[in-house]
């Protein structure tokens, strides 16, 4: 009987190994299916015109009707404007707060408070960030409630905690001996922080910025509330209504026009590529940082 | 240390010199950034509270228990959206946790070494795919599949449970839960993998030495050690699922009703806000939607803080164990 029991335990153990292997197959199926579908439907749309032309008139091909395919120049420009504006808002704030926490806060409670606030902020749902930015503008200036500026504020809310957290961690990896050596040479404190500490931590800071951009570039929910409807016109300035890649995917998905739908898949592929490149780049800078820290 | 030194450091006994203009300017700039981060947190709550004041004073407690969301009648109850949010997130996690944990166990305990890093990194990359892409895929691929293949079968074979007795339309609670689970899986897998990988070898070796099989090592030695990390990861995944908008908005049908079955259309708080806020023309409608945002924010933050507390307790425990 003892032998039997051991045999059953072994068989059960093997069974569980197989099950856990199956789990990884099962989770890869939908994930691979998403990427496959995006490539399958997005790749045929991507050509020169895709990057240079305006959004076309809505159209579905029927016998006798051929549709103008057009391009996503405006959503693409819009996304770049949003990335630039939101980074401009979020990066200085995030870096400043992180430097304050690490360089001037030390181990005190105020230093940990900033980390905690950043952690809590990172849990804010993106739609709530959108509602927040919208209400700010409703209170402040309703005529600009739908604009690149408004949308950038919503995205910046999502970016600040990521930049703060990664920047804080990067600064903490800089050894105290480096700071002490600089101060001993008589450099002023702020120059030491900017030229020595911050530069040493730069790869980590860049990682944080890239991660924050990757997160916000794909967000559609806050744009739905704050960006308005500016896809049909060329870019008119940051206080005008606008368009962006994720937002165009939403329009293409919810409108019944074939050419808009096709462009939406092209946008999905473009966005996927952009975000994968940003993620890989951020991993690369992180490895760079790790190598530098080991002194290689 | 000089009393009143404005630049205390972690090594305060070292520095005795007068502050310079550059130093003061720099510190002021840093302080401004720091205040901005803290003010942002406060402003989120205050601004949403201010915008929803009309709904809070007019509707009061009935807002939380109301079963009808009706701009036509100017009566607003959050219950349908709240129930939709909780059900979809719960089902998504029920699917994502066992699969994600199983995959993490395979990756850390059984997979050949050369396979571990690439598959792990691939899953982390997939976690970065924007939710609008998952939603678009769900709408174009999953919804037709649900409508024509999966849901008719569920009705035929499992209709007696009462969970699946509606017309199969595809745009429903079940599809939304499935898309959410696909999105939550990379998060749960990545965090579980990290906590399983952090289990010390000695823990496993002790179990192997007394004759435990592979599964018994995992079940009795590895998982208990990594438990808090796994729980924290799942709670973080739950927080993301609760606040998810686009993936849900496209596949749930967007009807503010209490779902009668898993195949019934519904809505979530996030989808409700996205769907209606820019077209809220009734006097109470926008305030009611802002109040919904406030409720979503409170739930998400409570869950987030809970997960962080678990994680920090875990880290403190590991620190103590290491000493």
């Amino acid at each position: 009987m003892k032998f039997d029991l051991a045999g059953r335990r072994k068989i059960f153990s093997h069974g569980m190994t197989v099950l856990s292997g199956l789990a990884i197959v099962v989770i890869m199926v939908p994930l691979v299916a998403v990427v496959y579908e995006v490539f399958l439907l997005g790749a045929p749309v991507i050509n020169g015109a895709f990057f240079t032309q305006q959004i076309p008139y809505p159209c579905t091909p029927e016998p006798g009707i051929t549709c103008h395919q057009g391009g996503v120049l405006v959503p693409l420009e819009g996304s770049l404007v949003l990335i630039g504006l939101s980074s401009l808002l979020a990066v200085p704030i995030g870096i400043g707060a992180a430097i304050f926490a690490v360089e001037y806060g030390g181990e005190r409670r105020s230093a940990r408070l900033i980390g905690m606030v950043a952690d809590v902020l990172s849990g804010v749902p993106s739609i709530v960030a959108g509602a927040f930015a919208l209400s700010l503008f409703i209170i402040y200036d309703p005529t600009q409630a739908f604009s690149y500026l408004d949308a950038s504020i919503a995205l910046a809310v999502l970016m600040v905690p990521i930049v703060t957290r990664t920047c804080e961690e990067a600064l903490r990896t800089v050894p105290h001996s480096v700071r002490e050596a600089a101060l001993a040479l008589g450099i002023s404190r702020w120059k030491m922080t900017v030229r020595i500490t911050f530069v040493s931590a730069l790869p980590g800071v860049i990682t944080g910025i890239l991660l924050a951009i990757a997160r916000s570039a794909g967000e559609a929910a806050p744009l739905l509330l704050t960006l308005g409807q500016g896809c049909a016109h060329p870019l008119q300035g940051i206080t005008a209504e606008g368009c962006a890649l994720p937002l165009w995917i939403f329009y293409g998905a919810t409108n019944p026009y074939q050419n808009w739908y096709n462009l939406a898949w092209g946008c999905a592929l473009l966005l996927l590529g952009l975000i994968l490149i940003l993620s890989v780049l951020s991993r690369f800078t992180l490895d760079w940082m790790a190598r530098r820290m080991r002194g290689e | 240390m000089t009393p009143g030194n404005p630049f205390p450091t972690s090594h305060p006994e070292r520095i005795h010199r007068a502050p310079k203009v550059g130093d003061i300017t720099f510190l002021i700039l840093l302080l401004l950034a720091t205040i901005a981060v803290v003010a942002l947190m406060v402003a989120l709550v205050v601004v949403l509270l201010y915008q929803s004041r009309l709904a809070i004073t007019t509707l009061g407690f009935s807002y939380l228990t109301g079963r009808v969301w009706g701009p036509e009648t100017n009566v607003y109850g959050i219950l349908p959206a709240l129930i939709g949010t909780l059900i979809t997130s719960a089902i998504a996690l029920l699917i994502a946790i066992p699969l994600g944990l199983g995959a993490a166990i395979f990756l850390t305990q059984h997979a050949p070494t050369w396979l571990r890093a690439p598959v792990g990194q691939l899953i982390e990359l997939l976690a970065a795919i924007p939710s609008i892409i998952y939603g678009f895929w769900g709408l174009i691929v999953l919804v037709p599949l649900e409508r024509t293949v999966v849901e008719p079968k569920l009705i035929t074979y499992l209709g007696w449970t009462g969970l699946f007795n509606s017309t199969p339309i595809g745009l429903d609670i079940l599809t939304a839960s499935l898309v959410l689970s696909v999105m939550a899986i990379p998060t749960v897998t990545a965090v579980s993998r990290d906590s399983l990988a952090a289990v010390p070898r000695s823990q496993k070796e002790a179990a192997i030495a007394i004759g435990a099989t592979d599964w018994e090592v995992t079940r009795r030695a590895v998982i208990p050690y990594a438990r808090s990390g796994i729980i924290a990861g799942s709670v973080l995944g739950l927080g993301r699922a609760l606040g998810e908008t686009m993936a849900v908005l496209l596949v749930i049908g967007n009807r503010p009703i209490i779902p009668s079955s898993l195949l019934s259309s519904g809505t979530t708080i996030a989808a409700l806000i996205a769907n209606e806020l820019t077209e809220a023309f009734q006097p109470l409608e926008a305030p009611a939607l802002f109040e919904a945002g406030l409720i979503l924010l409170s739930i998400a933050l409570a869950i987030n803080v809970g997960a962080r507390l678990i994680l920090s307790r875990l880290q403190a425990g590991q620190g103590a164990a290491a000493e």
Side-chain angles (χ1 to χ4, degrees):
Chain A
M1 281 317 279
K2 232 175 185 177
F3 176 75
D4 244 353
L5 189 63
R8 264 171 52 190
R9 282 170 54 210
K10 270 189 185 150
I11 292 169
F12 186 71
S13 173
H14 285 310
M16 292 311 285
T17 306
V18 172
L19 267 186
S20 70
L22 268 181
I24 205 150
V25 175
V26 170
I27 70 167
M28 289 314 272
V29 168
L31 295 172
V32 170
V34 172
V35 176
Y36 171 78
E37 197 76 12
V38 170
F39 268 94
L40 191 72
L41 295 170
V45 195
I46 295 195
N47 50 32
F50 180 78
F51 293 101
T52 52
Q53 292 193 1
Q54 305 282 331
I55 295 293
Y57 285 109
C59 164
T60 300
E62 285 166 40
I65 303 177
T66 41
C67 287
H68 182 51
Q69 184 61 63
V72 293
L73 178 65
V74 177
L76 183 59
E77 286 173 343
S79 270
L80 295 178
V81 168
L82 285 178
I83 288 174
L85 269 182
S86 54
S87 305
L88 219 57
L89 289 169
V91 169
I93 292 180
I95 290 179
I99 292 180
F100 181 79
V102 178
E103 303 298 318
Y104 293 85
E107 299 298 317
R108 276 174 302 146
R109 196 174 291 165
S110 59
R112 270 181 297 158
L113 176 78
I114 293 158
M116 264 162 52
V117 170
D119 278 345
V120 171
L121 271 178
S122 72
V124 172
S126 60
I127 189 80
V128 174
F132 166 72
L134 177 66
S135 23
L136 271 187
F137 272 76
I138 291 177
I139 299 168
Y140 163 69
D141 180 4
T143 59
Q144 289 178 16
F146 301 109
S147 65
Y148 284 113
L149 198 60
D150 194 0
S152 304
I153 289 176
L155 294 181
V157 172
L158 302 173
M159 291 171 75
V160 161
I162 305 176
V163 176
T164 309
R165 249 324 188 187
T166 40
C167 187
E168 203 187 322
E169 277 161 27
L171 287 169
R172 284 197 198 283
T173 60
V174 178
H176 267 299
S177 56
V178 175
R179 298 185 178 90
E180 284 161 6
L183 285 176
L185 291 173
I187 195 173
S188 70
R189 179 128 190 209
W190 76 275
K191 280 185 184 160
M192 180 272 287
T193 307
V194 174
R195 292 198 193 154
I196 313 287
T197 323
F198 185 70
V199 170
S200 308
L202 200 57
V205 177
I206 294 174
T207 304
I209 296 172
L210 290 176
L211 282 178
I213 291 177
R215 161 92 201 272
S216 70
E219 278 294 346
L223 307 187
L224 220 49
L225 300 184
T226 53
L227 200 49
Q229 311 212 329
C231 288
H233 327 286
L235 211 62
Q236 284 169 320
I238 58 167
T239 53
E241 298 193 19
C243 192
L245 291 173
L247 197 59
W248 185 261
I249 300 176
F250 179 72
Y251 290 149
T254 50
N255 281 299
Y257 313 115
Q258 186 66 40
N259 58 352
W260 283 18
Y261 171 83
N262 291 343
L263 284 181
W265 281 111
C267 284
L269 181 55
L270 191 58
L271 200 56
L272 192 67
L274 179 76
I275 283 162
L276 292 190
I277 288 171
L278 284 171
S279 306
V280 171
L281 265 183
S282 70
R283 182 164 287 279
F284 188 75
T285 50
L286 210 62
D287 287 348
W288 176 38
M289 171 113 182
R291 273 205 306 277
R292 245 171 63 159
M293 281 296 137
R294 286 198 306 268
E296 283 170 27
Chain B
M1 177 181 169
T2 322
N5 180 356
F7 299 105
T9 65
S10 37
H11 303 283
E13 63 284 354
R14 242 184 22 238
I15 294 171
H16 300 276
R17 64 187 160 74
K20 299 192 180 101
V21 180
D23 276 335
I24 292 175
T25 320
F26 188 59
L27 187 59
I28 288 173
L29 287 177
L30 294 184
L31 262 176
L32 282 180
T34 309
I35 291 168
V37 172
V38 179
L40 184 59
M41 186 68 249
V42 179
L44 266 169
V45 177
V46 172
V47 166
L48 287 178
L49 209 57
Y50 176 75
Q51 287 291 334
S52 54
R53 65 196 184 283
L54 201 61
I56 294 172
T57 50
T58 315
L59 299 167
F61 200 66
S62 73
Y63 179 80
L64 294 176
T65 53
R67 304 164 69 91
V68 178
W69 185 276
E72 308 83 24
T73 51
N74 223 17
V75 170
Y76 302 93
I78 195 64
L79 208 56
L82 187 60
I83 289 176
T85 307
L86 297 179
I87 292 181
T88 48
S89 304
I91 298 177
L93 265 283
L94 277 181
I95 299 170
I97 291 175
L99 284 176
L101 184 57
I105 288 174
F106 185 78
L107 277 180
T108 52
Q109 314 294 322
H110 305 301
T113 322
W114 55 268
L115 194 67
R116 294 182 185 186
V119 173
Q121 280 171 6
L122 182 66
I123 289 176
E124 273 172 28
L125 276 186
L126 292 169
I129 297 178
S131 61
I132 178 77
I133 293 182
Y134 281 113
F136 197 14
W137 173 81
L139 179 68
I140 302 304
V141 177
L142 203 57
V143 166
L145 192 72
E146 288 281 312
R147 183 171 54 226
T148 54
V149 182
V150 179
E151 291 180 1
K153 288 222 169 72
L154 284 175
I155 292 169
T156 315
Y157 296 111
L158 292 170
W160 52 269
T161 57
L163 290 173
F164 304 105
N165 49 8
S166 296
T167 19
I169 40 173
L171 295 167
D172 49 37
I173 299 280
L174 181 67
T175 312
S177 312
L178 287 178
V179 176
L180 276 182
S181 74
V182 171
M183 291 184 56
I185 279 172
T187 310
V188 175
T189 309
V191 182
S192 307
R193 191 188 61 132
D194 288 347
S195 22
L196 288 175
V199 175
R201 278 195 69 83
S202 56
Q203 192 83 3
K204 286 173 68 178
E205 282 163 359
I208 295 169
I210 54 171
T213 62
D214 279 354
W215 168 247
E216 284 159 355
V217 171
T218 307
R219 172 75 187 81
R220 311 242 171 223
V222 177
I223 292 183
Y225 199 93
R227 193 173 48 218
S228 335
I230 295 167
I231 294 173
S234 310
V235 177
L236 278 180
L238 178 66
R240 284 192 60 187
L242 285 168
E244 178 46 48
T245 311
M246 300 315 290
V248 173
L249 181 68
L250 285 168
V251 300
I252 202 168
N254 297 316
R255 285 174 63 205
I257 50 167
I258 293 179
S260 54
S261 86
L262 293 182
L263 302 190
S264 134
S265 289
T267 192
T268 65
I269 298 180
L272 185 73
I273 299 171
N275 208 31
E276 305 202 354
L277 188 52
T278 52
E279 289 157 10
F281 301 121
Q282 298 301 322
L284 262 185
E285 197 175 359
L289 287 164
F290 281 117
E291 192 177 349
L294 202 58
I295 290 174
L296 181 61
L297 181 68
S298 323
I299 298 175
L301 291 193
I303 283 176
N304 192 275
V305 170
R308 307 268 170 207
L309 282 180
I310 297 173
L311 270 180
S312 66
R313 262 182 52 194
L314 169 78
Q315 276 156 3
Q318 275 177 353
E323 274 158 19

